[in-house]
Amino acid sequence: MADTMHPLQKNPNWKGRRGPVVLVIMDGVGYGKYEDGDAVKASRMKWLDKLTNMSPHTKLKAHGVAVGLPSDEDMGNSEVGHNAMGCGRVFSQGAKLVGNAIASGSMFAGDTWKKLVSTVKNNGSTLHFIGLLSDGNVHSHIEHLKAMISQANKEGVKTIRVHALLDGRDVEPTSGLNYFKPFDEFLASFGCDYKIASGGGRMYITMDRYNADWSMVERGWNAHVLGEGRQFASAEEAIETYRKESPGLLDQDMHEFVIAENGKPVGTINDSDSVIFYNFRGDRALEITNAFETPDGQFDRFDRKRLPKVEYAGMMEYDGDLHIPHQYLVTPPAIDRVMGEYLVKSGVHLLAISETQKYGHVTYFFNGNKLGKFDDKLEDYIEVKSDVVPFEQRPWMKCAEITDKVISAIESGKYQHIRLNFPNGDMVGHTGVFNAVVCSMEGMDLQLGRLKKAIDKAGGILCITADHGNSDDMFEHDKKSGKVKMDESGEPMAKTSHSLNPVPGIIYDPEYKGDYDNTKLNEGLGISSWPATIMELMGYVPPTDYDKSMINLK
């Protein structure tokens, strides 16, 4: 792909700047719709407010069709947000692609589906589904699972086991029974041997990412594959028991459970079975996929105890470069000609940096779901190791350490472009702990002040944005009245999911030279407008098919 691309053309009218163009992604920081529950508004954001007031700024769309999702009812997420900010165009994303593949029947006509179904029919074995059981539509959708089970039933599959992960993150934090009870009834309606076999909270088992905590994957493996873990007669019993034992427990943090009859797990994964990991989003699918696909003797993350010989498939190809998994049901979007590739093709030195929780977002997702660099000599990637503790206990996370390294990079004069992600607003926002989110925002705001000072000194440009909202909407609201919903104790109900709110588009240019209209930015755009904008701020002409820039050149 790279050798078919040409360097970007220079804009002869651009007057240039001394320093780099720095893109700051404040993950999960939007413009709130409601004052109650807006942790950004409740925080003392001295530097964000100053930078906004002294700079041209706009509100950017970061959800729904603006980032390639099926409708504007769909919240944005970090994966599609970084895709959009990296490639400068909008591609149909996971949820939409899977929905279309099911509706058209192409998923079930594909070789992978046929192979998995024929394996269990020929061997009289079990078809397993592992994934997130909710309609959050960020990592998965329960309707996709139900459609696959219905199709498997039509094709004569006799035994199905579901290893169901509680969400409570992209949906209301304790809504698990709203999905598990009807789903159990759905399984029973077939009159076949279809059952939930195991489960647990998504932030406790199975769905780790970026190699942050492989013990999560080990707990998932033990429950799903080996049938090891605390036993219950049903998923409902497990959920209700854990809630009684730990009042205030969020679904996402629930411990693993194994469904058993007479002390025997109902759904271990064995030789000749087929397994579908039905999440469509890649970041939290890669590690469990590696656990299934890495041969004996080559896997060192934990002791798998046994590796069943199964037909394994993911909903999508989670990594297009390494081709993980080997088999998948739906072809992902082919994202090409991303901004980073154009920049290095044009001789630009660039740096991408975040801490572990979002490192893959400013690299893998930003580069169109591709691991590795486009040019080893021109690109530097830095991962600051995240703390492995609950985020509400360290709400400042690693934003100061990230900023330390970015300031050094600015001062070095080596880089013409730097992109960084502060994860605070999203990772702490997902905890639902309002005070912790306020602390995270104010900790991040201090770093914006430090970055402003470095940009002033270097004569660069500071671009500030987000990939989606979250910390701007921390309470559940009644959709009709807009009033805050209260829990049984009279406290506001915490909201742990992303918001549908717009995000900042701020351009701080302290050595502005009149090359563009700095009195206003273009309105009505999405975050996919950043690549064209950044290219223009670096003196390049963007590709003609990139989404419109925020600035109007003179």
Side-chain angles (χ1 to χ4, degrees):
M1 179 177 64
D3 58 359
T4 64
M5 292 179 61
H6 300 287
L8 296 168
Q9 290 184 325
K10 280 282 193 179
N11 175 3
N13 298 319
W14 183 256
K15 296 186 173 67
R17 303 293 186 273
R18 291 186 296 121
V21 175
V22 178
L23 176 65
V24 178
I25 302 166
M26 305 181 299
D27 212 294
V29 178
Y31 292 110
K33 179 180 179 182
Y34 306 104
E35 186 156 349
D36 288 337
D38 186 341
V40 183
K41 224 174 244 182
S43 305
R44 187 166 186 266
M45 305 296 286
K46 172 184 174 180
W47 293 106
L48 180 59
D49 290 345
K50 272 194 172 187
L51 287 162
T52 301
N53 292 333
M54 66 175 54
S55 311
H57 57 275
T58 186
K59 294 181 178 181
L60 300 171
K61 299 172 187 174
H63 76 286
V65 296
V67 288
L69 298 173
S71 78
D72 282 339
E73 295 300 308
D74 295 306
M75 66 185 82
N77 62 68
S78 299
E79 175 187 16
V80 300
H82 284 77
N83 279 169
M85 287 187 287
C87 72
R89 292 152 289 155
V90 177
F91 287 80
S92 291
Q93 289 288 347
K96 189 172 183 178
L97 292 172
V98 173
N100 290 344
I102 290 172
S104 69
S106 63
M107 176 192 289
F108 308 124
D111 290 342
T112 300
W113 174 265
K114 289 179 179 178
K115 185 177 183 182
L116 270 66
V117 168
S118 65
T119 294
V120 299
K121 289 178 68 178
N122 293 339
N123 292 296
S125 53
T126 302
L127 175 60
H128 297 264
F129 293 94
I130 306 174
L132 198 60
L133 194 74
S134 81
D135 56 3
N137 216 31
V138 173
H139 290 266
S140 71
H141 200 296
I142 193 171
E143 293 302 324
H144 298 162
L145 173 61
K146 290 166 73 174
M148 289 188 289
I149 291 171
S150 296
Q151 181 66 26
N153 179 261
K154 286 180 187 176
E155 296 186 29
V157 174
K158 302 296 185 186
T159 308
I160 289 176
R161 293 293 182 264
V162 179
H163 306 269
L165 303 173
L166 284 87
D167 190 343
R169 195 171 172 91
D170 299 324
V171 294
E172 291 188 8
T174 55
S175 58
L177 289 175
N178 296 343
Y179 301 101
F180 276 75
K181 282 186 175 180
F183 185 71
D184 252 342
E185 294 168 3
F186 168 78
L187 292 178
S189 70
F190 291 99
C192 297
D193 187 11
Y194 295 178
K195 298 174 182 177
I196 294 176
S198 68
R202 58 178 281 182
M203 295 304 288
Y204 189 75
I205 69 169
T206 310
M207 283 176 59
D208 184 45
R209 66 179 177 194
Y210 308 146
N211 304 312
D213 185 3
W214 271 90
S215 67
M216 288 173 58
V217 187
E218 182 176 13
R219 289 190 288 266
W221 181 268
N222 291 343
H224 309 324
V225 178
L226 307 178
E228 295 178 357
R230 187 173 174 184
Q231 294 186 350
F232 296 89
S234 69
E236 288 87 347
E237 179 187 82
I239 294 168
E240 289 169 350
T241 301
Y242 278 132
R243 286 183 180 167
K244 285 176 185 174
E245 292 177 352
S246 302
L249 176 69
L250 301 183
D251 288 351
Q252 62 181 340
D253 300 319
M254 193 167 290
H255 283 210
E256 75 278 5
F257 54 82
V258 173
I259 309 307
E261 295 174 357
N262 301 315
K264 183 179 179 182
V266 302
T268 56
I269 298 176
N270 304 301
D271 290 351
S272 302
D273 288 349
S274 290
V275 179
I276 296 173
F277 192 78
Y278 64 85
N279 287 10
F280 48 75
R281 176 167 157 172
D283 56 343
R284 294 190 183 275
L286 287 167
E287 291 174 38
I288 188 66
T289 296
N290 278 328
F292 273 102
E293 293 194 334
T294 305
D296 275 329
Q298 299 177 32
F299 186 80
D300 61 0
R301 295 296 185 171
F302 58 86
D303 182 3
R304 293 178 294 190
K305 300 177 184 175
R306 65 177 177 87
L307 176 62
K309 296 175 182 177
V310 299
E311 289 294 344
Y312 178 88
M315 179 65 90
M316 304 187 76
E317 186 178 42
Y318 303 128
D319 187 307
D321 279 352
L322 297 180
H323 301 299
I324 302 172
H326 304 318
Q327 302 182 114
Y328 49 91
L329 297 173
V330 180
T331 303
I335 301 176
D336 62 353
R337 298 187 298 108
V338 300
M339 177 176 71
E341 188 175 12
Y342 269 117
L343 291 180
V344 296
K345 192 76 174 178
S346 306
V348 171
H349 281 82
L350 63 84
L351 169 67
I353 178 172
S354 187
E355 62 177 277
T356 307
Q357 288 296 331
K358 297 292 180 176
Y359 171 73
H361 290 74
V362 290
T363 55
Y364 170 78
F365 287 129
F366 209 91
N367 288 338
N369 305 338
K370 296 174 184 66
L371 285 175
K373 300 174 182 176
F374 295 110
D375 190 313
D376 287 331
K377 293 179 180 178
L378 292 175
E379 291 177 281
D380 288 321
Y381 295 169
I382 298 176
E383 174 188 359
V384 177
K385 290 291 184 182
S386 290
D387 293 322
V388 185
V389 296
F391 300 113
E392 68 272 20
Q393 294 180 14
R394 302 285 192 281
W396 45 88
M397 298 186 69
K398 296 293 183 181
C399 61
E401 290 91 333
I402 293 168
T403 305
D404 291 344
K405 294 182 182 299
V406 171
I407 290 173
S408 294
I410 292 171
E411 291 175 344
S412 75
K414 177 180 178 181
Y415 303 101
Q416 292 85 54
H417 175 57
I418 300 169
R419 60 180 184 260
L420 65 133
N421 180 302
F422 289 136
N424 310 53
D426 191 41
M427 302 312 297
V428 186
H430 280 307
T431 69
V433 181
F434 192 89
N435 284 0
V437 180
V438 170
C439 182
S440 80
M441 287 294 94
E442 294 184 351
M444 182 190 71
D445 188 70
L446 292 173
Q447 311 315 315
L448 294 178
R450 296 176 64 204
L451 289 174
K452 176 189 177 297
K453 185 176 179 181
I455 286 291
D456 287 341
K457 184 178 177 182
I461 298 175
L462 191 63
C463 302
I464 301 173
T465 193
D467 51 348
H468 56 75
N470 184 340
S471 52
D472 44 282
D473 193 16
M474 293 298 302
F475 295 161
E476 293 286 351
H477 289 80
D478 182 271
K479 289 185 178 179
K480 290 185 178 179
S481 68
K483 291 183 178 178
V484 175
K485 294 181 181 179
M486 298 294 178
D487 62 21
E488 294 173 357
S489 64
E491 293 292 319
M493 287 179 63
K495 182 179 179 184
T496 54
S497 61
H498 297 167
S499 74
L500 301 178
N501 294 327
V503 301
I506 302 167
I507 300 174
Y508 174 65
D509 184 0
E511 294 188 2
Y512 171 70
K513 297 181 180 179
D515 352 50
Y516 62 96
D517 182 358
N518 76 336
T519 62
K520 62 179 180 178
L521 300 179
N522 292 318
E523 301 288 335
L525 302 177
I527 53 176
S528 59
S529 289
W530 273 115
T533 306
I534 289 168
M535 288 173 174
E536 289 189 340
L537 290 171
M538 296 180 70
Y540 293 107
V541 178
T544 55
D545 63 341
Y546 266 33
D547 287 347
K548 184 179 179 181
S549 169
M550 284 174 246
I551 64 173
N552 292 303
L553 297 171
K554 291 185 177 178

